[in-house]
Amino acid sequence: MPEALESLQQIYQDYFLLGAAVSSKTLCTSEELILKHFGSITAENAMKFGRIHPASDRYDFREADAIVDFARTHGKQIRGHTLVWHNQVPDWVFLDDDGCPVSRGELLERMQSHIYTVMGRYRGHIDAWDVVNEAIEDRGSSYLRQSKWLQIIGPDYVARAFEFAHAADPEAVLLYNDYNETNSVKRQKMIHLVQELQDQGVPIHGIGLQAHWSIYHPSMDSIRAALDDYLLLGLPIHFTELDLSMFRFEDPSRDCTWPTREMLERQAQVYGEIFALLRDYHQHIASVTLWGVADDHTWLDDFPVRSRKNWPLLFDEEHRPKASFDRVVEFSKGGGSDR
Ligand code: HAH
């Protein structure tokens, strides 16, 4: 690592908090990068329902605790991800001892007890929580995603989750978090949901836009248009899971085993444009979190195409800054031609 490399979070300190998603493994394998470049960390998986509460009578806080301890030791902020989601939630949550669906009342109690226990454990240490993740249906005109939470509790499960979260930690910033956020149909539904919550007086303090984008999509114009819409809600925006896949989401190809020069160049260009746009909107943006630290480990290595490698982040597999990194920090060099 060249000594002269500047810290990403320091370069952006006047704009927004910059963070990365981590695991207990990457805290060890990517420690130097995390310490130097990021001001906050988010547990990529360790706080998800299935990981932290695998059985009704058993919580497993080991990995989450390790992440929180690391952040406290090193003075990093911590972001919580996530309390209520349709994915990575065990079946037991929705079933009684006979294997039949629980009642609405029982599921609300389980939701409340989960939120109180997890948020309570980290109260005062976790600044912002993704309370509900991905509740909106992507396709067509249907509004809320068909999930066990919706089927058993009904549409007010979203509001109830925020109320429980607010009671569990009144200081925590509570977010609704979702992806496909620039899609014009999805974003109207997301805005509608947040507006409904606001109208009902539900405690919601920000909107989390995941920003799982690619080097092809979305366009800067559509990101701008989406941001302008979300801003009408009057809430701070958090970019919670930013990364730039080298492949279109629907591209099934598997034959690419190394990123080409063209891919890397295009990614650098797009990362540069995105961060320029984020700087433009910085007064409304509270935080930007990358969904990983470096290309040696990313959730896109296996998704949506199994065993296909991807290179969506700012540091390469050897933890060297990519051209993408250079383009994101270039503005701070006054003219940008001295690298
Ligand atoms: C996110 N879903 C989740 O919020 C996060 O917890 C997980 O680690 C990775 C991605 C995004 C998503 C998507 O971009 C496309 C289809 C399904 C889910």
Side-chain angles (χ1 to χ4, degrees):
M1 189 70 44
E3 221 88 72
L5 187 69
E6 283 158 284
S7 156
L8 191 58
Q9 55 150 343
Q10 274 169 19
I11 291 172
Y12 275 89
Q13 66 190 355
D14 294 335
Y15 293 90
F16 33 70
L17 179 67
L18 247 168
V22 302
S23 63
S24 51
K25 185 171 173 200
T26 60
L27 285 184
C28 163
T29 57
S30 300
E31 183 173 9
E32 265 186 63
L33 289 180
I34 297 165
L35 290 181
K36 175 158 187 166
H37 293 289
F38 298 104
S40 78
I41 56 179
T42 306
E44 182 176 347
N45 288 299
M47 294 183 187
K48 290 174 179 171
F49 209 124
R51 291 286 191 98
I52 211 164
H53 195 176
S56 66
D57 56 353
R58 190 163 67 83
Y59 282 87
D60 180 350
F61 292 114
R62 286 171 298 179
E63 190 180 359
D65 282 358
I67 292 170
V68 172
D69 288 348
F70 177 97
R72 295 187 63 200
T73 304
H74 298 290
K76 306 290 180 193
Q77 293 195 34
I78 316 167
R79 308 177 57 80
H81 177 79
T82 175
L83 297 164
V84 175
W85 190 25
H86 64 283
N87 224 339
Q88 300 187 44
V89 53
D91 289 343
W92 70 260
V93 177
F94 308 105
L95 300 174
D96 66 15
D97 290 342
D98 300 323
C100 298
V102 291
S103 65
R104 165 182 158 91
E106 173 64 21
L107 187 55
L108 280 168
E109 270 179 36
R110 291 182 183 187
M111 179 199 270
Q112 180 182 40
S113 144
H114 175 82
I115 291 176
Y116 278 27
T117 305
V118 176
M119 285 185 79
R121 186 175 183 90
Y122 302 121
R123 188 170 160 158
H125 301 308
I126 295 195
D127 308 288
W129 272 99
D130 299 330
V131 177
V132 176
N133 199 29
E134 305 178 353
I136 301 283
E137 170 58 46
D138 284 285
R139 291 174 195 288
S141 57
S142 42
Y143 175 40
L144 292 180
R145 178 193 296 277
Q146 277 305 321
S147 72
K148 292 272 169 38
W149 298 110
L150 178 66
Q151 281 160 12
I152 297 173
I153 298 176
D156 67 321
Y157 85 89
V158 179
R160 301 289 83 78
F162 277 89
E163 286 163 359
F164 293 148
H166 190 55
D169 184 353
E171 305 292 315
V173 169
L174 305 182
L175 309 180
Y176 174 72
N177 193 50
D178 213 326
Y179 66 96
N180 270 350
E181 63 291 303
T182 61
N183 173 290
S184 56
V185 177
K186 176 101 175 249
R187 89 173 181 253
Q188 290 318 320
K189 294 192 248 184
M190 287 170 59
I191 288 169
H192 182 71
L193 175 66
V194 174
Q195 258 164 356
E196 272 187 333
L197 295 171
Q198 290 175 311
D199 291 349
Q200 293 163 23
V202 171
I204 175 166
H205 313 119
I207 181 147
L209 307 178
Q210 292 185 6
H212 288 295
W213 295 332
S214 81
I215 61 175
Y216 304 104
H217 178 88
S219 68
M220 294 309 126
D221 283 349
S222 55
I223 298 174
R224 248 172 221 286
L227 272 176
D228 290 339
D229 274 359
Y230 288 118
L231 286 180
L232 298 175
L233 290 167
L235 293 176
I237 308 266
H238 296 251
F239 282 91
T240 50
E241 308 186 14
L242 174 63
D243 51 19
L244 280 190
S245 169
M246 292 295 196
F247 307 97
R248 290 177 205 279
F249 188 75
E250 51 293 342
D251 179 356
S253 63
R254 277 166 181 273
D255 48 358
C256 181
T257 51
W258 201 249
T260 62
R261 281 182 71 86
E262 291 71 30
M263 283 169 151
L264 290 166
E265 182 41 44
R266 182 167 185 140
Q267 187 184 53
Q269 167 83 24
V270 177
Y271 259 123
E273 288 171 6
I274 288 172
F275 273 83
L277 193 158
L278 298 179
R279 291 194 300 276
D280 246 15
Y281 282 79
H282 77 97
Q283 277 161 324
H284 308 288
I285 298 175
S287 71
V288 176
T289 299
L290 286 141
W291 208 236
V293 181
D295 286 347
D296 53 327
H297 163 82
T298 97
W299 76 292
L300 292 169
D301 287 346
D302 266 312
F303 182 82
V305 176
R306 207 169 273 255
S307 65
R308 179 178 66 190
K309 178 81 191 132
N310 210 322
W311 305 272
L313 298 166
L314 300 176
F315 299 96
D316 72 12
E317 290 175 85
E318 308 296 329
H319 294 188
R320 291 171 305 217
K322 293 159 67 178
S324 291
F325 177 91
D326 295 342
R327 222 61 73 79
V328 164
V329 301
E330 200 169 53
F331 79 99
S332 66
K333 311 214 183 306
S337 54
D338 52 345
R339 282 185 78 84

